[in-house]
Amino acid sequence: MGTKMAMEMDIETVRRKMIQAGLEKGLTHSDTVQLSKELDKLLHRVQLFVCGKKRRDK
């Protein structure tokens, strides 16, 4: 899954691509929507990583 820092870098990269696609192609364009879905998955992975780490640290 990777480190939290690496995941955050991936999130930032996809976020920037999504914003650019939204500005150039529109918010409902398939490329923008696909990047939004990818961003959601990455955010979910970080959330699972953080929650799992908190449980292990208890």
Side-chain angles (χ1 to χ4, degrees):
M1 189 180 287
T3 66
K4 185 179 177 209
M5 181 181 276
M7 289 187 281
E8 288 173 345
M9 289 173 59
D10 290 343
I11 286 169
E12 184 61 23
T13 299
V14 173
R15 186 185 70 82
R16 288 176 192 250
K17 288 180 181 179
M18 182 188 70
I19 291 170
Q20 192 65 34
L23 291 171
E24 292 176 3
K25 301 175 182 180
L27 298 178
T28 59
H29 190 277
S30 61
D31 290 347
T32 307
V33 172
Q34 184 59 38
L35 287 164
S36 177
K37 289 178 181 180
E38 185 178 342
L39 182 59
D40 287 344
K41 288 178 185 177
L42 291 170
L43 290 168
H44 186 246
R45 285 183 188 161
V46 169
Q47 189 175 27
L48 290 174
F49 179 83
V50 170
C51 288
K53 185 169 174 25
K54 285 181 182 177
R55 285 186 182 151
R56 287 190 302 270
D57 291 345
K58 283 187 176 182

